[in-house]
């Protein structure tokens, strides 16, 4: 039996609370699903700053590089507002992304039927929604040079950002999208602005060429990014995997996440390049939400986004898609039974805290495993 190396970085605020539920689920998967894990824990964010004066230590980064999967809770909070810029909690996360070269950001937008009424769209448009946005994370206009504001000397200034992509950056993100599609609905829609941007034209050409190199079993469509924004709120269920650049991905993934109801429900992944020798890639999984200082330490946090992050890891890093689907089904069943943490609570539902929600999901996972 393969032993999977996990590094847990719980971080700050509600991070340790939601990670606590994931630790219990890991125990269940070992005891009941025949999985074997080697689990290490370390500090990140404000917790690392308090202990070591940095937002993540070299030794934690080394552990992250050696792990099959890094699970991260959340970083930040008002306690660290005054710390030096380089040691601010977010710097720990940014260093991990940079050192592990995590160029592919995966943001699923899943709408559980029981929560469809919490969406800003009509129930029939979002009920059962399951799309995956693959955003290029380390290139494009956020990093391109020149990036500057120049004084023109006549009372005017000129601001410049540079949208730049090279072939290899597009090839590797397109491959991630095609490979993900194969374990999902087998469809990819690539979004760019080829009608007005050279980088969009190259993006379109390279995605098309990459598709022809061994991915023709996956259905590929192209869509202009503005049209996709419209389609995401008109008929979101038409999409399976969406692949797009850093800027459009930033905007479109936020639009998609609002279709689903609550921040406390949404997991994400950031993936690095595949090691040709081992076929493995660095991978960090984390909830989309932050450290929620307003409810931290009160046992109120919704652990589902963190639990679903482990679910994503099972599917995309640990070769256990059927177990990932089982975890998703357990979450859906618990929501259907009427249990809600405060963030997703509505009239007539039963309000529970972090541990009770974790108990319910883990209990349901155990029941489904035994079935
Ligand atoms: P947030 O996501 O922490 O909280 C926004 C709101 O959603 C709050 O009312 C919070 O109580 C609620 N919420 C979030 N997650 C929840 C959960 N699991 N269960 C129940 N309610 C939940 O965003 P914010 O308030 O803008 O930021 C707080 C801190 O988190 C800041 O320091 C910010 O920099 C940091 N942050 C970190 C990350 C990260 O670690 N990746 C992401 C976003 C924000």
């Amino acid at each position: 039996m393969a032993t999977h190396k996990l590094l847990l970085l719980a971080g700050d605020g509600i991070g340790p609370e939601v990670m606590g539920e994931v630790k219990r689920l890991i125990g269940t998967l070992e005891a009941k699903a025949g999985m074997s894990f080697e689990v290490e824990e370390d500090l990140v964010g404000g917790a690392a700053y308090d202990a070591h004066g940095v937002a993540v230590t070299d030794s934690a980064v080394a552990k992250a590089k050696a792990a099959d999967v890094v699970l991260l809770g959340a970083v930040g909070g008002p306690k660290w507002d005054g710390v030096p810029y380089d040691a601010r909690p977010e710097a720990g996360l940014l260093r991990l992304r940079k050192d592990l070269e995590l160029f592919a950001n995966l943001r699923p937008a899943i709408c559980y039927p029981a929560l469809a009424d919490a969406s800003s769209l009509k129930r029939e448009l979002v009920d059962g929604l399951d799309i995956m946005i693959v955003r290029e994370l380390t290139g494009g206009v956020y990093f391109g040079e020149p990036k500057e504001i120049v004084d023109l000397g006549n009372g005017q200034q000129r601001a410049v950002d540079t949208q730049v992509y090279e072939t290899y950056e597009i090839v590797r993100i397109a491959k991630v999208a095609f490979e993900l599609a194969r374990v999902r609905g087998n469809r990819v829609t690539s979004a760019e602005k080829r009608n007005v941007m050279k980088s969009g034209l190259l993006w379109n050409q390279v995605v098309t060429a990459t598709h022809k190199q061994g991915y023709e079993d996956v259905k590929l469509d192209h869509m202009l990014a503005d049209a996709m924004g419209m389609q995401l709120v008109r008929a979101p269920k038409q999409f399976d995997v969406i692949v797009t650049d850093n800027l459009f991905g930033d905007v479109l993934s936020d639009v998609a996440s609002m279709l689903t109801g609550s921040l406390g429900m949404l997991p994400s992944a950031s993936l690095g390049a595949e090691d040709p020798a081992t076929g493995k890639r660095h991978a960090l999984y984390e909830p989309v939400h932050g450290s929620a200082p307003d409810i931290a330490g009160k046992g109120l946090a919704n652990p589902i986004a963190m639990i679903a992050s482990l679910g994503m890891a099972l599917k995309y890093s640990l070769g256990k898609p059927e177990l990932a689907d089982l975890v998703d089904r357990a979450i859906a069943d618990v929501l259907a039974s009427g249990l809600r943490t405060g963030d997703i609570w509505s009239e007539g539902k039963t309000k529970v805290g972090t541990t009770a929600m974790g108990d319910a999901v883990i209990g349901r996972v155990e029941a489904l495993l035994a079935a």
Side-chain angles (χ1 to χ4, degrees), residues 297-346:
K298 297 180 180 162
L300 299 175
N302 184 349
I304 291 179
M306 189 76 242
I307 290 173
S309 299
L310 175 62
M312 279 187 86
L314 288 168
K315 191 167 204 161
Y316 300 117
S317 288
L318 302 178
K320 293 281 181 191
E322 67 295 338
L323 215 44
D325 290 346
L326 186 142
V327 171
D328 266 349
R329 206 169 331 131
I331 293 169
D333 290 351
V334 167
L335 294 172
S337 78
L339 291 196
R340 299 281 190 277
T341 42
D343 56 316
I344 51 173
W345 181 81
S346 59

Side-chain angles (χ1 to χ4, degrees), residues 14 74-77 90 93 263-264 286 288-295 301-302 343:
I14 61 169
V75 295
E90 294 75 15
L93 187 50
L263 226 48
E286 59 181 323
V288 168
H289 63 70
S291 58
D294 50 332
I295 56 166
N302 184 349
D343 56 316

Side-chain angles (χ1 to χ4, degrees), residues 70-350:
V70 181
L71 287 170
L72 189 136
V75 295
K79 181 180 174 199
W80 300 282
D81 279 350
V83 308
Y85 186 77
D86 286 346
R88 72 198 191 287
E90 294 75 15
L93 187 50
L94 294 178
R95 178 166 172 208
L96 283 164
R97 284 183 185 153
K98 184 163 168 285
D99 286 14
L100 273 61
E101 295 179 65
L102 304 174
F103 66 86
N105 185 223
L106 277 49
R107 290 263 303 257
I110 299 164
C111 186
Y112 295 97
L115 292 184
D117 291 325
S119 171
S120 48
L121 296 192
K122 287 185 221 129
R123 164 177 276 280
E124 61 268 26
L125 292 183
V126 293
D127 190 347
L129 178 78
D130 181 1
I131 59 186
M132 174 72 78
I133 301 201
V134 179
R135 166 188 171 196
E136 202 288 328
L137 199 60
T138 52
V141 73
Y142 293 165
F143 297 98
E145 295 286 346
K147 186 177 202 59
E148 60 190 8
I149 298 177
V150 182
D151 198 332
L152 299 178
N154 57 355
Q156 299 289 305
Q157 292 176 298
R158 180 172 58 216
V160 181
D161 293 290
T162 305
Q163 164 83 345
V164 52
Y165 273 107
E166 295 185 20
T167 308
Y168 79 95
E169 295 175 285
I170 307 170
V171 169
R172 64 184 185 178
I173 193 82
K175 285 184 173 176
V176 167
F178 292 133
E179 282 157 24
L180 283 173
R182 282 184 176 150
V183 292
R184 296 173 43 91
N186 219 30
R187 290 182 295 120
V188 170
T189 311
S190 169
E192 30 59 20
K193 290 280 286 177
R194 62 187 176 280
N195 52 342
V196 286
M197 296 171 79
K198 292 293 180 194
S199 56
L201 196 58
L202 184 70
W203 184 280
N204 181 280
Q205 290 167 352
V206 174
V207 171
T208 304
T210 307
H211 181 239
K212 292 206 171 84
Q213 287 160 13
Y215 296 101
E216 280 175 307
D217 55 304
V218 180
K219 185 171 183 306
L220 171 65
D221 292 303
H222 300 275
M223 196 176 271
L224 295 176
D226 51 339
M228 179 171 285
M230 191 259 287
Q231 291 296 336
L232 269 175
V233 292
R234 193 187 75 84
K237 284 195 264 185
Q238 69 184 283
F239 298 110
D240 177 23
V241 174
I242 290 169
V243 62
T244 191
D245 73 14
N246 203 343
L247 174 63
F248 295 136
D250 194 358
V251 177
L252 294 172
S253 63
D254 268 16
V255 171
S257 66
M258 263 325 289
L259 303 174
T260 70
S262 166
L263 226 48
M265 301 292 302
L266 293 170
S268 76
S270 301
L271 306 179
E274 195 175 273
D275 179 337
T278 62
K280 289 184 178 178
R281 46 172 101 240
H282 291 313
L284 183 147
Y285 294 84
E286 59 181 323
V288 168
H289 63 70
S291 58
D294 50 332
I295 56 166
K298 297 180 180 162
L300 299 175
N302 184 349
I304 291 179
M306 189 76 242
I307 290 173
S309 299
L310 175 62
M312 279 187 86
L314 288 168
K315 191 167 204 161
Y316 300 117
S317 288
L318 302 178
K320 293 281 181 191
E322 67 295 338
L323 215 44
D325 290 346
L326 186 142
V327 171
D328 266 349
R329 206 169 331 131
I331 293 169
D333 290 351
V334 167
L335 294 172
S337 78
L339 291 196
R340 299 281 190 277
T341 42
D343 56 316
I344 51 173
W345 181 81
S346 59
E347 208 56 52
K349 305 296 180 198
T350 310

Side-chain angles (χ1 to χ4, degrees), residues 48-67:
Y49 178 78
D50 287 348
H52 305 293
V54 289
V56 66
T57 60
D58 293 344
S59 115
V61 172
K63 285 182 200 166
K65 284 184 175 170

